[in-house]
């Protein structure tokens, strides 16, 4: 299809009207010469092109093409091409974050945006506001992107998943109370094992609010499972389109399953449907019935197991009893039970043999000793020990007498010396001097005061006399000339007369020497 030609005549997109001719008044500034007389500047031409695209190309515009030369530089830059043409595209960061996927080279997409002329580079390009893949829906792209992210986090790894309980006490069923999936689960559980309890948690399983309710229910059961007695969770719903099941493809549901404290079994949709909740669950089942069968033990199988255990237990008991009977019979055949004195007879025989050997050894030892004594007696008789004993006894008596005389003489000598020393000590003893009327003065450190220069005014003194101690404080000191030898001798003789003792001509010259 060809459009009508004008100032910017050329092929146009189907359904797009050609741009209106530029009025003569807009071609050049007022008063300028005609185009034949004066050329356009580059800026003027860029303005004309930009104005023509803005008025001639409708906005928004949708273009389908193959991505080429994709570059992620915070903003996205790429080309759209087909068999006959290429056009540049720019998608700013704010719009790229809303795309839900990252395009790849060669991928066919539908770009929605506006066509504009970038005068700085002289390029006509599409400024893309939204981008959608062709052939794969938006939900499918979001599903694949989230799968890749969660697989990288290890949420799909088998090692992370928990082992299902063999005989759960109670199972929490998270689904819609009005759905057929709930009845399938309850009927299967009641048929297989009525002893396993069921707790039904009613949530929406379709719509915008469904994902939040399912995640909140899983978190609540995870927190309260001990008080509720719940050992496992079944998350289920019936079949539907991808849009109907999308609540179970949300990250919030997957995260709640991963952090749940007890195992989670997911059965979403039909067997051909696979949701992210099933991929991260500890066990994926094709149908709600299969999920109930996976968690609920079969009553008939349990009965068969009990019968088998009963048979094994009975067989084991019979074998054990038979073994014990055989042991008793073997014990009865042993010599111990046939002849109880068997255990006593053998030790008795050994004891008697040991007694005989001991008696023989003692007799041999006594005979050997007797021979030795006789030999020694013969040798003793040859040496006449009686004479040797008499001589040595006389010598011992003599030595004893000499020792006694020496000890007595030494004792008397030492006793006389001790008596003389006691009399001397009594005569010059400090207490005897104090009884004669003398005293001794001590300073506060316990040193004897011999000269007034040893103390100062204010010092504390203790004067020791015969009857006790007199304490005083020094007010002053005064030196007294030392007594002459004749004065000292006279004083000593006077003191001796007072006590009724004869004066000694060799009395000490210094009275302090008496201390």
């Amino acid at each position: 299809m060809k459009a009508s030609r004008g100032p910017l005549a050329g092929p146009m997109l189907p359904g797009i009207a050609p741009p209106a001719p530029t009025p003569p008044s807009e071609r050049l500034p007022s008063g300028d010469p005609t185009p034949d007389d004066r050329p356009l500047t580059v800026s003027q031409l860029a303005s004309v092109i930009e104005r023509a695209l803005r008025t001639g190309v409708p906005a928004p515009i949708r273009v389908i093409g193959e991505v080429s030369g994709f570059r992620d530089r915070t903003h996205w830059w790429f080309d759209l091409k087909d068999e006959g043409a290429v056009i540049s595209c720019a998608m700013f960061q704010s719009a790229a974050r809303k795309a839900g996927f990252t395009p790849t080279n060669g991928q066919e997409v539908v770009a929605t945006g506006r066509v504009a002329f970038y005068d700085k580079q002289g390029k006509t390009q599409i400024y893309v506001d939204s981008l959608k893949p062709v052939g794969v829906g938006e939900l499918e792209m979001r599903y694949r992107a989230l799968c890749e992210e969660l697989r990288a986090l290890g949420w799909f790894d088998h090692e992370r998943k928990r082992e299902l309980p063999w005989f759960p006490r109670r199972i929490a069923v998270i689904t819609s109370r009005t759905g057929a999936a709930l009845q399938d689960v309850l009927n299967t559980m009641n048929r297989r094992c009525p002893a396993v309890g069921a707790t039904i948690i009613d949530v929406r399983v379709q719509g915008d609010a469904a994902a939040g309710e399912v995640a909140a229910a899983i978190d609540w059961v995870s927190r309260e499972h001990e008080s509720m007695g719940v050992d496992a969770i079944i998350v289920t719903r019936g079949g539907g389109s991808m849009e109907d099941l999308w609540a179970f493809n949300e990250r919030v549901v997957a995260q709640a399953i991963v952090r749940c404290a007890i195992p989670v079994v997911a059965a979403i949709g039909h067997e051909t449907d696979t949701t992210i909740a099933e991929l991260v669950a500890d066990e994926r089942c094709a149908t709600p019935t299969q999920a109930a069968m996976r968690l609920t033990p079969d009553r008939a199988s349990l009965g068969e197991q009990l019968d088998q255990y009963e048979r094994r237990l009975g067989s084991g008991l019979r074998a054990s009893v038979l073994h014990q009977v055989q042991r008793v019979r073997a014990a009865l055949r042993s010599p111990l039970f046939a002849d109880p004195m068997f255990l006593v007879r053998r030790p008795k025989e050994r004891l008697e043999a040991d007694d005989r050997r001991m008696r023989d050894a003692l007799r041999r030892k006594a005979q050997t000793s007797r021979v030795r004594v006789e030999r020694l007696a013969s040798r003793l008789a040859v040496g006449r020990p009686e004479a040797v004993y008499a001589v040595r006894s006389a010598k011992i008596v003599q030595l004893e007498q000499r020792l006694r005389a020496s000890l007595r003489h030494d004792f008397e000598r030492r006793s006389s010396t001790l008596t003389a020393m006691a009399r001397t000590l009594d005569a010059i003893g400090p207490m005897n001097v104090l009884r004669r009327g003398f005293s001794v003065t001590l300073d506060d450190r316990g040193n004897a005061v011999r000269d007034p220069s040893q103390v100062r005014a204010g010092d504390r003194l203790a004067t020791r006399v015969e009857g006790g101690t007199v304490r005083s404080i020094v007010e002053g000191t005064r030196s007294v000339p030392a007594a002459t030898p004749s004065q000292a001798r006279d004083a000593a003789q006077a003191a001796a007369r007072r006590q009724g003792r004869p004066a000694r001509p060799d009395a000490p010259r210094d009275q302090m020497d008496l201390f």
Side-chain angles (χ1 to χ4, degrees):
M1 173 180 180
K2 293 187 177 291
S4 59
R5 296 185 177 274
L8 296 176
M12 300 297 292
L13 294 174
I16 299 178
T22 305
S25 59
E26 296 181 2
R27 297 177 184 173
L28 294 174
S30 177
D32 288 343
T34 62
D36 296 335
D37 298 331
R38 183 175 178 180
L40 296 173
T41 64
V42 175
S43 299
Q44 290 174 339
L45 180 58
S47 298
V48 171
I49 296 173
E50 192 277 331
R51 193 163 45 243
L53 290 174
R54 187 176 65 249
T55 58
V57 180
I61 188 171
R62 299 175 68 244
V63 181
I64 184 171
E66 181 180 317
V67 176
S68 176
F70 178 79
R71 302 176 301 281
D72 186 354
R73 303 287 188 271
T74 305
H75 308 302
W76 289 354
W77 309 93
F78 57 93
D79 297 333
L80 283 181
K81 67 177 183 179
D82 57 14
E83 297 82 356
V86 177
I87 188 168
S88 298
C89 299
M91 192 171 186
F92 296 122
Q93 182 183 12
S94 57
R97 283 200 298 263
K98 302 176 183 178
F101 74 105
T102 301
T104 58
N105 292 328
Q107 184 178 8
E108 192 174 18
V109 297
V110 175
T112 303
R114 55 186 177 84
V115 179
F117 180 74
Y118 185 38
D119 53 2
K120 300 297 183 182
Q121 295 182 357
K123 293 176 61 176
T124 300
Q125 56 188 4
I126 301 176
Y127 291 91
V128 181
D129 296 325
S130 65
L131 197 66
K132 293 185 178 181
V134 175
V136 180
E138 179 183 359
L139 292 181
E140 183 69 21
M141 292 300 299
R142 290 173 56 188
Y143 174 83
R144 294 181 181 179
L146 187 55
C147 281
E148 293 299 325
E149 179 185 354
L150 300 186
R151 183 176 287 106
L153 293 175
W155 290 10
F156 295 168
D157 295 345
H158 181 73
E159 294 76 11
R160 182 202 61 79
K161 299 185 179 182
R162 292 153 294 207
E163 186 176 355
L164 300 184
W166 177 75
F167 200 129
R169 297 169 296 173
R170 180 171 292 274
I171 300 173
V173 184
I174 300 177
T175 187
S176 173
R177 184 178 293 274
T178 60
L182 175 61
Q183 298 305 318
D184 293 342
V185 171
L186 296 180
N187 292 337
T188 302
M189 291 178 61
N190 186 57
R191 183 180 70 255
R192 287 179 63 84
C193 188
V196 179
T199 298
I200 303 169
I201 302 176
D202 185 24
V203 295
R204 280 180 281 190
V205 294
Q206 183 175 335
D208 295 338
E213 290 188 10
V214 172
I218 295 174
D219 290 337
W220 180 74
V221 175
S222 176
R223 291 192 305 269
E224 305 295 333
H225 72 95
E226 292 184 356
S227 60
M228 297 169 59
V230 174
D231 294 328
I233 298 175
I234 294 179
V235 179
T236 184
R237 66 147 287 162
S241 63
M242 190 172 191
E243 289 78 6
D244 296 338
L245 305 179
W246 188 252
F248 298 93
N249 289 323
E250 295 287 355
R251 181 188 179 95
V252 63
V253 176
Q255 190 170 12
I257 294 175
V258 169
R259 65 171 173 248
C260 185
I262 56 178
V264 178
V265 176
I268 311 300
H270 299 298
E271 186 173 358
T272 56
D273 300 322
T274 302
T275 61
I276 291 178
E278 293 174 298
L279 295 177
V280 301
D282 300 291
E283 185 83 14
R284 176 183 179 267
C285 296
T287 61
T289 300
Q290 184 180 0
M293 294 177 63
R294 183 66 182 84
L295 278 177
T296 309
D298 185 15
R299 178 171 49 185
S301 299
L302 292 177
E304 293 178 359
Q305 290 183 10
L306 289 176
D307 294 339
Q308 183 181 3
Y309 291 151
E310 182 182 4
R311 290 192 296 270
R312 290 174 59 185
L313 181 60
S315 176
L317 287 175
R318 285 192 296 273
S320 179
V321 171
L322 180 60
H323 176 66
Q324 298 301 329
V325 169
Q326 292 175 352
R327 291 185 60 189
V328 171
R329 289 175 178 174
L332 291 176
R333 289 193 300 270
S334 68
L336 173 63
F337 288 94
D339 183 9
M341 293 300 296
F342 174 77
L343 292 178
V344 178
R345 187 182 304 111
R346 294 292 298 274
K348 180 180 179 181
E349 293 174 355
R350 289 196 299 268
L351 182 61
E352 292 175 351
D354 293 340
D355 180 67
R356 288 191 298 271
R357 285 194 298 270
M358 185 179 66
R359 290 179 182 275
D360 293 342
L362 289 175
R363 280 195 296 269
R364 287 193 299 270
K365 182 69 173 176
Q367 185 178 0
T368 303
S369 300
R370 189 181 304 110
V371 172
R372 184 179 179 186
V373 169
E374 291 175 355
R375 187 184 302 113
L376 292 174
S378 301
R379 292 174 59 187
L380 183 62
V382 174
R384 295 194 303 171
E386 295 84 358
V388 175
Y389 175 75
V391 173
R392 292 184 177 178
S393 296
K395 187 176 181 179
I396 290 174
V397 171
Q398 182 182 4
L399 292 175
E400 181 182 1
Q401 292 174 353
R402 290 174 58 185
L403 178 62
R404 290 178 180 276
S406 176
L407 289 175
R408 186 167 51 254
H409 176 71
D410 186 67
F411 177 76
E412 292 174 354
R413 181 177 57 82
R414 292 179 181 273
S415 178
S416 299
T417 303
L418 181 61
T419 302
M421 294 175 64
R423 287 196 298 268
T424 303
L425 181 62
D426 183 65
I428 66 173
M431 295 306 298
N432 193 25
V433 175
L434 294 181
R435 284 194 294 270
R436 293 200 299 269
F438 292 98
S439 66
V440 59
T441 302
L442 306 176
D443 59 13
D444 55 358
R445 292 184 298 276
N447 299 324
V449 178
R450 299 175 180 272
D451 191 270
S453 62
Q454 291 182 242
V455 298
R456 293 178 297 179
D459 289 353
R460 294 180 179 273
L461 301 179
T463 301
R464 179 72 180 273
V465 296
E466 180 184 4
T469 302
V470 178
R471 301 188 181 278
S472 59
I473 299 175
V474 178
E475 294 182 353
T477 61
R478 180 171 60 86
S479 299
V480 178
T484 62
S486 59
Q487 292 175 342
R489 188 167 50 253
D490 295 340
Q493 292 175 355
R497 284 194 299 272
R498 284 195 299 272
Q499 296 184 359
R501 293 186 294 107
R504 294 173 58 189
D506 55 346
R509 298 180 180 181
D510 189 357
Q511 296 178 1
M512 294 308 297
D513 290 341
L514 298 177
F515 301 98

